């Protein structure tokens, strides 16, 4: 018995930490049921016609046991039905738009990784062979002569202009039950360089590829109009071209390829140097201006234009005589997932259901409706099953809207109509109206507008508190808000 009580107290404490408002309503409802059950009947007179202390204690113990059993029954029903609702929501989320890191990593290996394109690196240098003389500590031994190559780099900036054009089109990829952000690119990079030294030099043109495990199609590399791709070496995810450089020689170097990646595309000048006459044009034919976003560490474009068909954007990054290590690029927006609306609404159904359970138990107890505990459990179970059916039928009945119109709303309307049959008067009709508001409007509004979820919950709570206060005040002042049947006051359970 003790482990069960400790477990229930632990769950109650967890609920109070996560949802204090709902925990307050549930606590008030359970207290109302306990007090009503404990006070509902007086101890029966002693069969011999004489009251006794033993008989009085027995009567109090019987009422206390009955009240505790009813509260325990409600708590058990809450635990079981809440577990059912959580499993129903989890099953739907597992098969609809479940984005996982494992699947995202798999998409990167199958389609392509996140692309971070670095700028061309130019190494200009001369190698000189020098002879070192190493004297021995033992003067009787001759000195050792050793030859080595000393590299003398040219530190002057060889870049004259840079013109880059990238066309990026979205291509979502599906893995498991979710869609992941994918794209295809057509990249064209060109540079005009010169030899800043007045002497012959050696030169290494090092172009870093944007991703080590990506696919590169239609790859081309030209230098002064001649194909140099066969001469380039592929090493450590870079393409390198080594050549001799004549004094004041000018170079026109171009690289183009098609590739694909996920999530974002990023370009950065990683070297600490002056950026001269730089222009990067990023064309996004299917990403409108209103959905633009940039990766962390990115500068905003110099200019943003809308494409001619008004469906895309044209980003221009222009720098001249600049020093910056900020990147340039775009982060693609998140994709709508299968069952996204249903998933959002189901995510709020647990709060709505707990609210409804507390509302039914508290209001029916205050209104002294017979069989309060049984009715609360039945209506609570039916509501939980309605939310479960919403997830089960969303793929069969035209998504969320069709399922809500054909299943959820009619189901809850029937339950609200049955609520009005429990007794007569205005209070029970108001309870049925609040049942519909909390059961239908609240999860829809909070799910589709998550930024105001707390506002919608607080509005429902204020409305329920006002309604409960009205019913309770009417009972206390002996002015009931509804006409009850003659046997309605006998017992609430």
């Amino acid at each position: 018995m003790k482990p069960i009580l400790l477990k229930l107290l632990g769950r109650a404490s967890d609920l109070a930490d996560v949802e204090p408002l709902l925990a307050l309503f549930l606590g008030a409802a359970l207290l109302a049921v306990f007090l009503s059950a404990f006070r509902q009947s007086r101890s029966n007179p002693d069969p011999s016609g004489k009251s006794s202390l033993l008989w009085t204690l027995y009567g109090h113990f019987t009422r206390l046991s009955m009240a505790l059993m009813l509260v325990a029954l409600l708590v058990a029903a809450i635990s079981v039905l809440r577990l059912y609702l959580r499993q129903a929501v989890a099953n739907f989320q597992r098969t609809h738009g479940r984005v996982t890191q494992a699947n995202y990593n798999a998409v990167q290996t199958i389609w392509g990784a996140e692309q971070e394109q670095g700028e061309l690196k130019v190494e200009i240098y001369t190698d000189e062979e020098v002879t070192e003389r190493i004297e021995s500590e033992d003067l009787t031994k001759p000195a050792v002569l050793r030859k080595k190559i000393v590299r003398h780099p040219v530190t002057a900036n060889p870049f004259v202009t840079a013109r880059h054009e990238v066309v990026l089109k979205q291509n979502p990829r599906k893995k498991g039950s979710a869609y992941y952000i994918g794209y295809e690119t057509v990249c064209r990079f060109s540079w005009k360089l010169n030899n800043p030294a007045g002497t012959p030099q050696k030169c290494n043109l090092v172009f870093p590829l944007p991703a080590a495990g990506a696919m590169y199609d239609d790859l081309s590399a030209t230098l002064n109009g001649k194909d140099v791709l066969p001469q380039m070496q592929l090493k450590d995810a870079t393409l390198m071209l080594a050549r001799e450089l004549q004094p004041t020689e000018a170079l026109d170097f171009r690289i183009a390829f098609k590739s694909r990646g996920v999530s974002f595309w990023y370009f950065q000048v990683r070297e600490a140097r002056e950026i001269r006459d730089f222009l990067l044009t990023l064309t996004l034919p299917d990403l409108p201006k209103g959905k633009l976003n940039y990766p962390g560490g990115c500068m905003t474009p110099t200019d943003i234009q809308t494409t001619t068909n008004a469906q895309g954007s044209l980003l221009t990054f222009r720098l001249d005589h600049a020093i910056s290590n900020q990147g340039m690029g775009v982060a693609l927006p998140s994709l709508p997932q299968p069952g996204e609306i249903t998933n959002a609404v189901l995510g709020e159904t647990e709060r709505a259901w707990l609210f409804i359970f507390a509302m039914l138990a508290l209001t029916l107890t205050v209104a002294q409706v017979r069989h309060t505990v049984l009715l609360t459990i039945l209506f609570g179970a039916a509501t939980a099953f309605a939310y479960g059916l919403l997830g089960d039928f969303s793929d069969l009945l035209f998504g969320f809207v069709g399922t809500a119109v054909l299943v959820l709303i009619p189901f809850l309307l029937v339950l609200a109509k049955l609520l009005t049959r429990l007794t007569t008067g205005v209070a029970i009709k108001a309870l049925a109206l609040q049942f519909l508001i909390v059961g239908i409007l609240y999860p829809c509004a909070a799910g589709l507008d998550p930024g105001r979820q707390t506002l919608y919950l607080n509005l429902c709570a204020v409305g329920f508190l006002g309604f409960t206060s009205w019913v309770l005040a009417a009972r206390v002042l002996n002015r009931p808000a509804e006409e009850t049947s003659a046997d309605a006051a006998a017992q609430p359970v």
Side-chain angles (χ1 to χ4, degrees):
M1 187 66 179
K2 184 178 179 181
I4 297 177
L5 291 176
L6 291 177
K7 188 174 183 179
L8 292 176
L9 290 176
R11 290 190 176 183
S13 177
D14 294 340
L15 180 62
D17 292 337
V18 178
E19 299 290 348
L21 183 60
L22 296 176
L24 176 64
F25 285 146
L26 284 173
L30 294 176
L31 179 61
V33 170
F34 175 81
L35 294 177
S36 177
F38 185 75
R39 296 169 57 88
Q40 68 179 343
S41 61
R42 301 301 178 187
S43 57
N44 296 326
D46 193 304
S48 62
K50 298 179 180 180
S51 60
S52 65
L53 178 61
L54 183 60
W55 188 258
T56 301
L57 292 176
Y58 173 76
H60 285 304
F61 177 76
T62 302
R63 293 197 304 274
L64 178 62
S65 300
M66 179 62 69
L68 290 176
M69 287 178 60
L70 293 176
V71 171
L73 181 60
L74 279 176
V75 172
I78 292 173
S79 299
V80 173
L81 292 175
R82 188 184 182 195
L83 180 61
Y84 161 78
L85 193 57
R86 284 185 169 182
Q87 288 181 346
V89 175
N91 289 336
F92 182 86
Q93 292 175 342
R94 185 173 60 253
T95 57
H96 295 78
R98 184 169 177 260
V99 178
T100 65
Q101 187 63 41
N103 283 346
Y104 180 71
N105 294 337
V107 170
Q108 292 191 75
T109 59
I110 297 171
W111 178 253
E114 301 162 347
Q115 296 205 351
E116 299 184 20
Q117 178 67 64
E119 177 65 301
L120 178 71
K121 182 179 180 181
V122 180
E123 300 172 346
I124 301 177
Y125 59 92
T126 55
D127 289 335
E128 179 185 2
E129 184 179 20
V130 297
T131 302
E132 285 184 330
R133 179 184 178 91
I134 303 176
E135 299 288 348
S136 175
E137 294 181 357
D138 188 352
L139 299 179
T140 61
K141 295 182 179 181
V144 177
L145 300 180
R146 179 181 300 171
K147 294 183 178 181
K148 70 174 184 178
I149 302 298
V150 177
R151 176 164 294 184
H152 301 285
V154 176
T155 58
N157 189 353
F159 287 87
V160 179
T161 64
R163 295 290 184 270
H164 306 326
E165 297 179 0
V166 178
V167 178
L168 186 150
K169 299 178 68 174
Q170 297 184 75
N171 192 336
R173 314 309 301 169
K174 187 174 183 180
K175 183 67 176 177
S177 63
Y179 286 100
Y180 294 84
I181 305 167
Y183 61 81
E184 295 178 284
T185 59
V186 178
C187 303
R188 296 183 180 87
F189 302 98
S190 66
W191 303 266
K192 290 187 182 300
L193 313 164
N194 64 7
N195 182 2
T199 58
Q201 302 285 327
K202 293 182 178 181
C203 175
N204 291 335
L205 302 178
V206 182
F207 178 77
L209 296 173
M215 181 275 296
Y216 303 96
D217 192 20
D218 290 343
L219 180 63
S220 66
T222 62
L223 181 62
N224 296 332
K226 297 181 180 180
D227 182 17
V228 293
L229 184 61
Q231 306 170 27
M232 300 188 76
Q233 300 178 8
L234 177 61
K235 182 180 180 181
D236 297 331
T238 62
L239 289 173
M240 187 181 73
L241 176 66
R243 69 184 305 275
E244 300 291 332
L245 196 61
Q246 300 304 316
T248 67
E249 182 181 359
L251 304 178
D252 184 359
F253 187 51
R254 299 172 185 265
I255 288 183
F257 58 84
K258 296 178 182 179
S259 188
R260 57 197 192 187
V262 294
S263 296
F264 65 86
W265 187 88
Y266 184 84
F267 182 93
Q268 184 182 25
V269 179
R270 297 168 181 167
E271 289 184 281
R273 63 173 175 83
E274 178 190 8
I275 303 174
R276 300 174 181 170
D277 196 9
F278 176 91
L279 179 63
L280 169 63
T281 303
L282 181 56
T283 304
L284 309 167
D286 52 5
L287 186 62
K289 187 176 180 180
K291 293 185 177 181
L292 287 177
N293 194 16
Y294 309 104
C298 260
M299 66 178 72
T300 55
T302 308
D303 185 44
I304 302 176
Q305 298 291 334
T306 302
T307 55
T308 55
N309 60 0
Q311 300 296 319
S313 305
L314 183 64
L315 311 184
T316 302
F317 298 88
R318 183 179 289 106
L319 296 171
D320 192 16
H321 299 292
I323 297 176
S324 175
N325 62 356
Q326 284 187 301
M328 293 158 264
V330 64
L332 299 181
S334 58
L335 297 171
Q337 299 294 343
E340 186 175 31
I341 298 178
T342 305
N343 192 12
V345 174
L346 286 177
E348 299 296 330
T349 54
E350 183 179 347
R351 293 189 184 92
W353 181 82
L354 289 173
F355 201 113
I356 288 173
F357 200 95
M359 181 174 63
L360 290 172
L362 184 57
T363 305
L364 294 180
T365 300
V366 172
Q368 296 183 356
V369 177
R370 288 175 59 88
H371 310 300
T372 295
V373 172
L374 181 59
L375 290 172
T376 299
I377 294 175
L378 289 177
F379 277 93
T383 305
F385 295 153
Y387 290 143
L389 291 176
L390 176 63
D392 295 336
F393 282 97
S394 64
D395 292 335
L396 305 177
L397 299 175
F398 314 109
F400 169 75
V401 176
T403 306
V405 172
L406 298 178
V407 177
L408 180 64
I409 295 177
F411 202 111
L412 295 187
L413 283 175
V414 171
L415 292 179
K417 184 64 176 178
L418 293 176
L419 269 177
T420 61
R421 298 294 182 90
L422 297 180
T423 185
T424 59
V426 178
I428 199 66
K429 295 180 180 178
L431 175 63
L433 178 60
Q434 289 200 64
F435 173 81
L436 293 176
I437 292 174
V438 177
I440 299 176
L441 296 183
Y442 167 72
C444 293
L448 300 179
D449 188 12
R452 296 186 177 89
Q453 180 269 330
T454 304
L455 171 64
Y456 300 131
L457 182 62
N458 290 337
L459 288 176
C460 292
V462 169
F464 174 58
L465 284 176
F467 167 71
T468 306
S469 301
W470 169 60
V471 175
L472 186 59
R475 289 294 178 188
V476 171
L477 298 176
N478 200 22
R479 288 185 290 121
E482 57 185 11
E483 296 180 6
T484 57
S485 57
D487 58 345
Q491 64 178 37
V493 293

